[in-house]
Every structure is written in structure tokens, then in C-alpha cells.
Amino acid sequence: MTKARLVVVGNGMAGARAVEEILKRGGAEQFDITMFGAEPYGNYNRILLSNVLSGAEDESGIFLNDLEWYRENGIELRAGVRVTRIDRFARVVHAEDGTERAYDKLIIATGSSAHMPAIPGIRHPSRGYHQGVFAFRTLDDTRAMVRYARQHERAVVIGGGLLGLEAARGLQAHLPHVTLVHSGGHLMHAQLDAQGGAILRRSIEALGIEVITGARTTEILGRTAVTGVRLRDGRDLPCDVVVIAAGIRPDAELAAASGLVVERGIVVDDHLQALDEPDIYAVGECVQHRGETYGLVAPLWEQARVLADQITGADPSAEYHGTRTATKLKVAGVDVASMGLRESERDDDETLVFAEPGRGVYKSVVIRDGRLVGATLVGDVRRVAFLTQAYHEGSPLPPERAELLFGSGMSGASDDAAAVAELADDVQVCNCNGVTKKMLAEPKFPTVGAAMEATRAGKGCGSCKSLVAQIVEWAAGGAVAEDPSASWYVPGVPLDKDALMTAIRAQGLRSVSAVFAALAPGGAEDAKSKMGLASLLRMMWGADYVDERDARFINDRVHANIQRDGTFSVVPQLKGGVTTPAQLRRIAEVAEKYEVPMVKLTGGQRIDLLGVRKEDLPAMWEDLDMPSGWAYGKSFRTVKTCVGAEFCRFGLGDSTALGIAIEERYQGIEAPGKLKLAVTGCPRNCAEAYVKDLGVVAIEGGRWELYVGGAAGAHVRKGDLLTTVSTAAEVLTLTGRFIQYYRESANWLERTYSWVPRLGIDHIRAVVVEDAMGWAARLDEAMSASVAAYRDPWLERRAAATPGQFQSVAQP
């Protein structure tokens, strides 16, 4: 039987979900499917872009369907190809690269685009957006923001809705100063009432973000690049980065230009068909249905199911009647949920409000004629599933209204199992991925992890994870097994770290391939496990480790940081941030010789040469004749220092000399995560030692305080005081012992700011300082062996490790 031709214009969350639903209904046997996507990727979760911006999530972790998925399902994906015209009469779509595809059925899923208000200075006459101005909508937007923000100091985010809050929080990972400017009277005014918005503001400001409400931006300042923004009240806010997060608009230009009925969006009927076009459908944020457009993901999932039923004939009676939106989100780390009315509108409306500003908690419900017509939750959303069900179904409410906000179930049930049992099967548990209670409960998943992997529940903002676990456990009658893979050090070898290290030692496994052959199921190699295993083996075996280059990430293969355009970043070592005129001249000469596009001072007091071609790396290192600064990989990075006692009038200790001594001893030591250190000469903390993986602070009496587990990036945490010592020699010893214990006991990619609280500072102090376990000598010996095995990786300039190590390729 000849298959019909299905063309999908749009490869975003709505378009890809519609195709997934079509495939579930046997669509692969009915259709030859072609998809056009304006972005050159597979389908990714746009909700997680804020995590990519902050650095909390790697780009690879946000993709829902990679390119292999399209191949496996026989789908022709035209990635990075924009459709420019639909010929409805010839039934052909035309793309900007000249591609033409005939269709029997057409789905338009062009989504939405960022709304960029007409603020003077937002655009440059010849190059689009003014330099330093960004939208926040796509993966490319996010990449551009990260790249630019790292080179600047101050950002202003315009818009205090969900996108603006997420952008502000993400930018904190790259800039020291972030200001949020919102024209409304309170944050998230479309979802929250004034009191809820005020409590959310307190939580956001506690993160270090300046918030200005009731302020309209009238101009973006700066001739060649952004220098600030001007507000309507005449204030100028200095900044060099501006992010516009002023909402979204349906992207319906293609449909309008092609003759379809378009108002605010593409007008569709209850079958998701474009008006008067029986073979053209539309789905997602580009759609206008019964006068409504939607900017949330939950309606997209409902639309995708109805469209799939219609287009495959699985259920010709299926109809979409609109969505009563209930949002549940994690906004800049704060849980927020809202549905229906934000506050009472009639004199006889009942309102119940609970506020605890000190904890950042706010809850309110609006009741009309005994039915829930609105709810707002900030900081504590444990009741959201039950409130959502009452809101959607109009079910009777308990006489004791407080049970809505604090009870375990609608009937006042006291345990989670009873409360979960009362949820209807079609209650949406995960809004981000459209997962219902029934999808989690009926398969009887053996573990919570298996349920999340199969359904994607909890893979979006993460606010539903606790409810997902409750439902899976309830469905299994409490017989849910502990997910064993949660404790595996790497995903491809079914052993936790202790067991893995024991097996490696017992069998003398000195290479990554040997570990796979001996310990992985069926001897299968796993690409995601290679980096973690290589780091672990180097730590365990030192000079006896057998290096296999394919076990390394590109950064570790060429000992430089790969950049977005395929060039590399070279950072020579400047111990403790100290250099000489001769070194500076040499760096300047090398930068000129190799036409380095950017020379930048890093936050770790070093000089970064950015934009270096791969093939130029060995010669550049030879000309520099300086050691690697280890600005890549999971390892000891740098020791930041202040001026210290030698020059500073407040200095209490020689922080510069001690910082150099620490860096000389522990340079390049492998670790589960990167290690950033600092030594500061007095408690004024100019070197920011309190927020480093390990920080040393000079105090009165010639003594030194050691702080561990600090962070000042995507996560902010003041380090815990490990101990106070009297000599620099003690600092050196305890630094090495602490790092070695971290290397041996931390999970792969677990930073010290997570590891220290997990083990507890008292336990770490007992092991590292007090030697309560009797491990000190062994830890010191192991670290000494690693120090002795150190070799500057830039020495490979004299003899490449592999023939193609420094050969240029289009995409390394």
C-alpha cells in the first residue's frame, strides 16, 4: 500500500510531540513523514534552557529526540531549514534552501517567537540587535548569552515573568551583577496576586538579584555596544548585557503569507484543522483556538493527542475543547503554581490565605459557590495536584477549608498513599512533559527512576518529582525497588564507587577498555562512562594508568577548552595570579603572532587566549614556553590570591606565597569535578576564599583558617570551616588530604559544594584533620604518588599522542 505524505513544519516541542503521538497510533505504516525545523538540531526541551544558561545542565541533557531517533523512525528531518511558503493549491511546501515537499497532510507547528518591544536602541540599523542585546528563546540565544556574558560585568533583564526570572538567575552564573526590571507592580503578575508576587520577590532578592518593579524601559544606551538602560522615571542603570524577556507571540507569519486564516494565531477548529483546509492542521503555540492562544506546554500535549487521533483516524470523534490552564513551575529555584483566579472578584467569593514570608511561602485559594476557582502557591506546592483536580473537575470541597492548603487529601486523609489514591487517573502530574497519573501508575514500574525514564516525568523543571515518586510507590503497593543505577559511579558499569575501585584494584584494570571488558554487562562500552572512568583510573594508578585517547573528551585530548565555533581557549599557568614583565611580553607576542581574536583576564587571575585554531596549539605552546593553566577538564584548576602581607596594609599572612606553593604542588590533579581554590591574606576576603572548593584565610596570630565546599557560580554557598592551623606546611598537607578524600569518595561530577554537605563537615573534619579513621597516612601517600606522576600536558607539543591529535576538522 502506498503511504500518504505527511509534512510537519516545525520541529519544536509541539511538532515533535504530535509526531510521537502519530507514531504511537501506527502512523509509520500510514505516512512517509518529513519534518522541517528552523533550528539545526533534534527536538529539545525549551523549558530547560534556563538550566543550560546557568550551567546546571549540559546541552546534551535537554534533547528529547536526538537525530538518531528520526532515523530510527524513518523520518526525513530537514534540520536548520526554514519553510518560506505553502502552496495550498499545489499541496507543496517550499523551503529557503530550495527544497520542495509535496504533502497529503500538513501539520504547522511553528511555535512562537520572543516579543521584542520597540525600545529605542534595541536594534542597530545594519546588524540586527544592538551588541549586548539578547532574546531568550532558543538554544542559540542561550549560547550567545553565555559567551557574551562571560566577558562582561552587569546585566539588566527586562521582564519579570517566568522567562525573565529564569534568565536573571541563569546569568548569575556568569556575571557578578544582575538587575531585573519589570513594568508590572509585582513579579509574575499574570500568575500571582500582589502578596504572592511580593513574597516571590523576597526569595529572588535573597539570591542576590536586584529587582525593580513598576519601571518601564524607555531606551537602551550605548553607541557601539550596550552601556546601560534608561527608565521612564529618568534613572539610568549601567550595564553591558540586556536580555529581553517580555513574553512571546504566536509565530503565524508563514500561515498568513500562505493564505490561511490568522488572527493572533492560526485559527483552528476543535479538530485542530485550519479553517476551510481539511488537510492542514496546526498545533502548539502558533494556534488560536476558540479565541485563545496558549504559551504553556500542557495545552500542547492535549492538542497533540487530538491531532494524532484525527490524522491517523484512530478516533475521528476526538476533539479539543480548550485547556483550563494550571501552571506548576520552578522559577529561579522557587516552586510556583497558579490556576484560575488570582484573587476574589465577587463579594460572596471565599478567600483563604496563608503567608509565611520568612520561609518564602505563600498559599491562597479562591472558592465560589463551593467550588475551587483559583489557587496560588509559592515556595510550597505539595498540594498542587489535589488543588488542580478540584479546579478542573469542580469537585466538592471539604467543609474545613484549611484542608485544601494543609491536609493530606481532599477528605482529610492522613497519609500520602490515601491522598494519591484520590487523584483521578487523568490528572496531569508533570506539566512539562504531559504525564498523567495513569501513565505513571498502570505500568507498575519497578523503580521511580524507570518511571521517569519511560515517561519523562520529572525531566522538565523537576517540581513534580516527589509526587511522581509517591504515585509510583502507591501503584506498586509499596513494593518499589531502590533504583540500583542511582548509586552507580558511571552509567555503563553496575557498581558504586567503592565496589568499582575494589574490583579495579583486585583485577589490576589499568585502562578504560579493560574495565568495560571485565565489569560492564556483556563487556559493552558506554560512551557516557568513559570520562568518569578515565579520571578514576588516573587517580588510582597515577603513572601506571594506561591512557586510551578515545576515553577522553576533546578538551582532554588537546589540553584546551573547545569554544562554540570549534576554536580553542589557551590559558598558560600564572601561579597565584603572579606574572612577570617577560611573561606578559611573551604572551602578547604569541597573541599577535597567532592572531588571537580575544585576550581576556579570567576570574581566576589568569590570561585567556580565545579563538585559537586546533592546528596552532602545539606551536603556540612552544612559543609561550609556559606550563598549562589547566583551565579545562575535571581537575585542580587554580589558586586565586590577594596581595597579602607583602604589600597590603591589612594583610595578616603571605597569601601570595602560600597560594603559589599550593598550586605548584597540586597543579592538574584529577578529581570528580573541577577544583577552584583561593588564599586570602585577611578576613576582608579579596580573593573570595569563602566561596571556593577550598579557601584559606589568614587571621590574627599568624594562623590560617581552611574553608571547604564553597561555591559562587550557578550555586552559591559559603564554605564550611574545616579547621584553623598555625603554619603554611599544615595548610599544604591538609589541602592535599582533603582533595584526596574528595577524589576517593565523591560521585563523578559531584562538586565539593554538594559533597561536603552530603558527608557532613563533622565527618570530613574527623577524617582529614583528626584522623579518626586512621586514613591520614594512606591519603597523604596516595596524593604524593599523584603529585609525583604529574606531567605538563602541553609537552605533547613535542610528540603528538596520536597522528590526528592536532589536525583541524570542521567539528572536533
Side-chain angles (χ1 to χ4, degrees), residues 49 145 171 203 217 225 229 275 283 286 289 374 384 408 421 470 624 743 791 795 802:
L49 285 176
M145 260 192 284
L171 286 168
S203 298
T217 305
V229 301
L275 295 191
V283 64
C286 63
H289 173 263
V384 67
S408 297
Q470 291 174 24
L624 282 170
R743 297 170 79 201
R791 183 176 183 270
L795 293 177
T802 62

PDB file of all heavy atoms in Angstrom, residues 49 145 171 203 217 225 229 275 283 286 289 374 384 408 421 470 624 743 791 795 802:
ATOM      1  N   LEU A  49      16.191  25.436  28.974  1.00  0.00           N
ATOM      2  CA  LEU A  49      17.213  26.373  28.511  1.00  0.00           C
ATOM      3  C   LEU A  49      17.763  27.196  29.667  1.00  0.00           C
ATOM      4  O   LEU A  49      18.932  27.579  29.662  1.00  0.00           O
ATOM      5  CB  LEU A  49      16.641  27.305  27.441  1.00  0.00           C
ATOM      6  CG  LEU A  49      16.431  26.683  26.054  1.00  0.00           C
ATOM      7  CD1 LEU A  49      15.779  27.690  25.122  1.00  0.00           C
ATOM      8  CD2 LEU A  49      17.750  26.189  25.467  1.00  0.00           C
ATOM      9  N   MET A 145      24.230  34.275  24.743  1.00  0.00           N
ATOM     10  CA  MET A 145      24.222  34.967  26.032  1.00  0.00           C
ATOM     11  C   MET A 145      25.383  34.526  26.913  1.00  0.00           C
ATOM     12  O   MET A 145      26.068  35.341  27.536  1.00  0.00           O
ATOM     13  CB  MET A 145      22.904  34.696  26.767  1.00  0.00           C
ATOM     14  CG  MET A 145      21.898  35.805  26.664  1.00  0.00           C
ATOM     15  SD  MET A 145      20.539  35.558  27.837  1.00  0.00           S
ATOM     16  CE  MET A 145      19.620  34.295  27.023  1.00  0.00           C
ATOM     17  N   LEU A 171      21.921  34.052  34.502  1.00  0.00           N
ATOM     18  CA  LEU A 171      23.027  34.972  34.236  1.00  0.00           C
ATOM     19  C   LEU A 171      23.929  35.146  35.446  1.00  0.00           C
ATOM     20  O   LEU A 171      25.094  35.545  35.305  1.00  0.00           O
ATOM     21  CB  LEU A 171      22.479  36.333  33.800  1.00  0.00           C
ATOM     22  CG  LEU A 171      21.922  36.384  32.366  1.00  0.00           C
ATOM     23  CD1 LEU A 171      21.155  37.673  32.141  1.00  0.00           C
ATOM     24  CD2 LEU A 171      23.047  36.248  31.344  1.00  0.00           C
ATOM     25  N   SER A 203      12.251  36.161  47.831  1.00  0.00           N
ATOM     26  CA  SER A 203      13.077  34.985  47.546  1.00  0.00           C
ATOM     27  C   SER A 203      14.086  35.263  46.446  1.00  0.00           C
ATOM     28  O   SER A 203      15.228  34.810  46.508  1.00  0.00           O
ATOM     29  CB  SER A 203      12.180  33.802  47.161  1.00  0.00           C
ATOM     30  OG  SER A 203      11.310  33.449  48.213  1.00  0.00           O
ATOM     31  N   THR A 217      11.214  50.449  30.679  1.00  0.00           N
ATOM     32  CA  THR A 217      12.453  50.813  29.991  1.00  0.00           C
ATOM     33  C   THR A 217      12.115  51.650  28.769  1.00  0.00           C
ATOM     34  O   THR A 217      11.317  51.232  27.921  1.00  0.00           O
ATOM     35  CB  THR A 217      13.215  49.554  29.572  1.00  0.00           C
ATOM     36  OG1 THR A 217      13.430  48.724  30.718  1.00  0.00           O
ATOM     37  CG2 THR A 217      14.547  49.913  28.966  1.00  0.00           C
ATOM     38  N   ALA A 225      28.124  49.494  21.639  1.00  0.00           N
ATOM     39  CA  ALA A 225      27.704  48.353  22.447  1.00  0.00           C
ATOM     40  C   ALA A 225      26.895  48.900  23.615  1.00  0.00           C
ATOM     41  O   ALA A 225      26.959  50.095  23.941  1.00  0.00           O
ATOM     42  CB  ALA A 225      28.911  47.558  22.954  1.00  0.00           C
ATOM     43  N   VAL A 229      20.637  51.061  30.492  1.00  0.00           N
ATOM     44  CA  VAL A 229      19.246  51.256  30.094  1.00  0.00           C
ATOM     45  C   VAL A 229      18.705  52.462  30.849  1.00  0.00           C
ATOM     46  O   VAL A 229      19.128  52.758  31.974  1.00  0.00           O
ATOM     47  CB  VAL A 229      18.369  50.008  30.362  1.00  0.00           C
ATOM     48  CG1 VAL A 229      18.891  48.806  29.609  1.00  0.00           C
ATOM     49  CG2 VAL A 229      18.285  49.710  31.858  1.00  0.00           C
ATOM     50  N   LEU A 275      -9.002  26.592   9.341  1.00  0.00           N
ATOM     51  CA  LEU A 275     -10.343  26.847   8.801  1.00  0.00           C
ATOM     52  C   LEU A 275     -10.381  26.640   7.297  1.00  0.00           C
ATOM     53  O   LEU A 275      -9.519  27.137   6.556  1.00  0.00           O
ATOM     54  CB  LEU A 275     -10.778  28.271   9.141  1.00  0.00           C
ATOM     55  CG  LEU A 275     -10.980  28.598  10.629  1.00  0.00           C
ATOM     56  CD1 LEU A 275     -11.660  29.949  10.787  1.00  0.00           C
ATOM     57  CD2 LEU A 275     -11.786  27.504  11.326  1.00  0.00           C
ATOM     58  N   VAL A 283      -0.766  23.012  15.454  1.00  0.00           N
ATOM     59  CA  VAL A 283      -0.671  22.576  16.839  1.00  0.00           C
ATOM     60  C   VAL A 283       0.348  23.437  17.564  1.00  0.00           C
ATOM     61  O   VAL A 283       1.332  23.879  16.978  1.00  0.00           O
ATOM     62  CB  VAL A 283      -0.277  21.082  16.919  1.00  0.00           C
ATOM     63  CG1 VAL A 283       1.106  20.851  16.350  1.00  0.00           C
ATOM     64  CG2 VAL A 283      -0.361  20.535  18.335  1.00  0.00           C
ATOM     65  N   CYS A 286       1.515  28.365  18.075  1.00  0.00           N
ATOM     66  CA  CYS A 286       1.127  29.152  16.908  1.00  0.00           C
ATOM     67  C   CYS A 286      -0.383  29.156  16.692  1.00  0.00           C
ATOM     68  O   CYS A 286      -0.899  29.888  15.842  1.00  0.00           O
ATOM     69  CB  CYS A 286       1.813  28.631  15.648  1.00  0.00           C
ATOM     70  SG  CYS A 286       1.372  26.932  15.208  1.00  0.00           S
ATOM     71  N   HIS A 289      -7.333  28.912  19.224  1.00  0.00           N
ATOM     72  CA  HIS A 289      -8.488  28.018  19.289  1.00  0.00           C
ATOM     73  C   HIS A 289      -9.557  28.659  20.165  1.00  0.00           C
ATOM     74  O   HIS A 289      -9.299  29.000  21.318  1.00  0.00           O
ATOM     75  CB  HIS A 289      -8.066  26.660  19.874  1.00  0.00           C
ATOM     76  CG  HIS A 289      -9.217  25.741  20.141  1.00  0.00           C
ATOM     77  ND1 HIS A 289      -9.791  25.622  21.383  1.00  0.00           N
ATOM     78  CD2 HIS A 289      -9.900  24.912  19.311  1.00  0.00           C
ATOM     79  CE1 HIS A 289     -10.778  24.743  21.329  1.00  0.00           C
ATOM     80  NE2 HIS A 289     -10.857  24.300  20.078  1.00  0.00           N
ATOM     81  N   GLY A 374      -9.765  29.240  41.914  1.00  0.00           N
ATOM     82  CA  GLY A 374      -8.434  29.812  41.787  1.00  0.00           C
ATOM     83  C   GLY A 374      -7.546  29.386  42.928  1.00  0.00           C
ATOM     84  O   GLY A 374      -8.014  29.124  44.037  1.00  0.00           O
ATOM     85  N   VAL A 384      -0.474  20.935  45.139  1.00  0.00           N
ATOM     86  CA  VAL A 384      -0.909  21.402  43.827  1.00  0.00           C
ATOM     87  C   VAL A 384      -1.689  20.340  43.055  1.00  0.00           C
ATOM     88  O   VAL A 384      -2.660  20.660  42.364  1.00  0.00           O
ATOM     89  CB  VAL A 384       0.292  21.917  43.001  1.00  0.00           C
ATOM     90  CG1 VAL A 384       1.236  20.790  42.630  1.00  0.00           C
ATOM     91  CG2 VAL A 384      -0.186  22.633  41.746  1.00  0.00           C
ATOM     92  N   SER A 408      -3.757  16.166  53.974  1.00  0.00           N
ATOM     93  CA  SER A 408      -3.064  15.181  53.135  1.00  0.00           C
ATOM     94  C   SER A 408      -3.917  14.737  51.964  1.00  0.00           C
ATOM     95  O   SER A 408      -3.435  14.118  51.033  1.00  0.00           O
ATOM     96  CB  SER A 408      -2.681  13.953  53.963  1.00  0.00           C
ATOM     97  OG  SER A 408      -1.769  14.332  54.959  1.00  0.00           O
ATOM     98  N   ALA A 421      -4.250   8.115  46.093  1.00  0.00           N
ATOM     99  CA  ALA A 421      -5.352   7.281  45.624  1.00  0.00           C
ATOM    100  C   ALA A 421      -6.547   8.115  45.190  1.00  0.00           C
ATOM    101  O   ALA A 421      -7.302   7.718  44.294  1.00  0.00           O
ATOM    102  CB  ALA A 421      -5.769   6.290  46.714  1.00  0.00           C
ATOM    103  N   GLN A 470       5.668   9.307  44.806  1.00  0.00           N
ATOM    104  CA  GLN A 470       4.531   8.837  45.592  1.00  0.00           C
ATOM    105  C   GLN A 470       3.590   7.982  44.757  1.00  0.00           C
ATOM    106  O   GLN A 470       3.101   6.941  45.220  1.00  0.00           O
ATOM    107  CB  GLN A 470       3.768  10.028  46.176  1.00  0.00           C
ATOM    108  CG  GLN A 470       4.517  10.788  47.255  1.00  0.00           C
ATOM    109  CD  GLN A 470       3.780  12.045  47.682  1.00  0.00           C
ATOM    110  OE1 GLN A 470       2.567  12.145  47.529  1.00  0.00           O
ATOM    111  NE2 GLN A 470       4.518  13.010  48.195  1.00  0.00           N
ATOM    112  N   LEU A 624      55.036  30.006  23.745  1.00  0.00           N
ATOM    113  CA  LEU A 624      54.785  30.506  25.090  1.00  0.00           C
ATOM    114  C   LEU A 624      55.840  29.991  26.070  1.00  0.00           C
ATOM    115  O   LEU A 624      56.273  30.718  26.970  1.00  0.00           O
ATOM    116  CB  LEU A 624      53.391  30.073  25.579  1.00  0.00           C
ATOM    117  CG  LEU A 624      52.186  30.848  25.055  1.00  0.00           C
ATOM    118  CD1 LEU A 624      50.891  30.144  25.448  1.00  0.00           C
ATOM    119  CD2 LEU A 624      52.190  32.277  25.591  1.00  0.00           C
ATOM    120  N   ARG A 743      38.501  13.000  46.126  1.00  0.00           N
ATOM    121  CA  ARG A 743      38.713  12.187  44.916  1.00  0.00           C
ATOM    122  C   ARG A 743      38.236  10.762  45.112  1.00  0.00           C
ATOM    123  O   ARG A 743      37.672  10.140  44.216  1.00  0.00           O
ATOM    124  CB  ARG A 743      40.199  12.167  44.542  1.00  0.00           C
ATOM    125  CG  ARG A 743      40.785  13.524  44.183  1.00  0.00           C
ATOM    126  CD  ARG A 743      42.299  13.447  44.062  1.00  0.00           C
ATOM    127  NE  ARG A 743      42.728  12.875  42.803  1.00  0.00           N
ATOM    128  CZ  ARG A 743      43.911  12.336  42.578  1.00  0.00           C
ATOM    129  NH1 ARG A 743      44.780  12.241  43.568  1.00  0.00           N
ATOM    130  NH2 ARG A 743      44.218  11.864  41.395  1.00  0.00           N
ATOM    131  N   ARG A 791      52.702  15.461  34.926  1.00  0.00           N
ATOM    132  CA  ARG A 791      53.454  15.810  33.712  1.00  0.00           C
ATOM    133  C   ARG A 791      52.670  16.892  32.985  1.00  0.00           C
ATOM    134  O   ARG A 791      51.464  16.754  32.780  1.00  0.00           O
ATOM    135  CB  ARG A 791      53.617  14.582  32.819  1.00  0.00           C
ATOM    136  CG  ARG A 791      54.453  14.821  31.552  1.00  0.00           C
ATOM    137  CD  ARG A 791      54.610  13.507  30.803  1.00  0.00           C
ATOM    138  NE  ARG A 791      55.449  13.651  29.621  1.00  0.00           N
ATOM    139  CZ  ARG A 791      54.998  13.964  28.410  1.00  0.00           C
ATOM    140  NH1 ARG A 791      53.702  14.204  28.236  1.00  0.00           N
ATOM    141  NH2 ARG A 791      55.832  14.045  27.381  1.00  0.00           N
ATOM    142  N   LEU A 795      53.449  19.376  27.017  1.00  0.00           N
ATOM    143  CA  LEU A 795      54.670  18.787  26.476  1.00  0.00           C
ATOM    144  C   LEU A 795      54.376  17.905  25.263  1.00  0.00           C
ATOM    145  O   LEU A 795      55.286  17.540  24.519  1.00  0.00           O
ATOM    146  CB  LEU A 795      55.387  17.970  27.560  1.00  0.00           C
ATOM    147  CG  LEU A 795      55.960  18.778  28.736  1.00  0.00           C
ATOM    148  CD1 LEU A 795      56.565  17.852  29.769  1.00  0.00           C
ATOM    149  CD2 LEU A 795      57.006  19.789  28.232  1.00  0.00           C
ATOM    150  N   THR A 802      48.617  11.049  19.235  1.00  0.00           N
ATOM    151  CA  THR A 802      48.037  10.309  18.110  1.00  0.00           C
ATOM    152  C   THR A 802      48.276  11.121  16.845  1.00  0.00           C
ATOM    153  O   THR A 802      48.437  12.351  16.910  1.00  0.00           O
ATOM    154  CB  THR A 802      46.514  10.102  18.299  1.00  0.00           C
ATOM    155  OG1 THR A 802      45.874  11.384  18.348  1.00  0.00           O
ATOM    156  CG2 THR A 802      46.226   9.333  19.580  1.00  0.00           C
TER     157      THR A 802
END
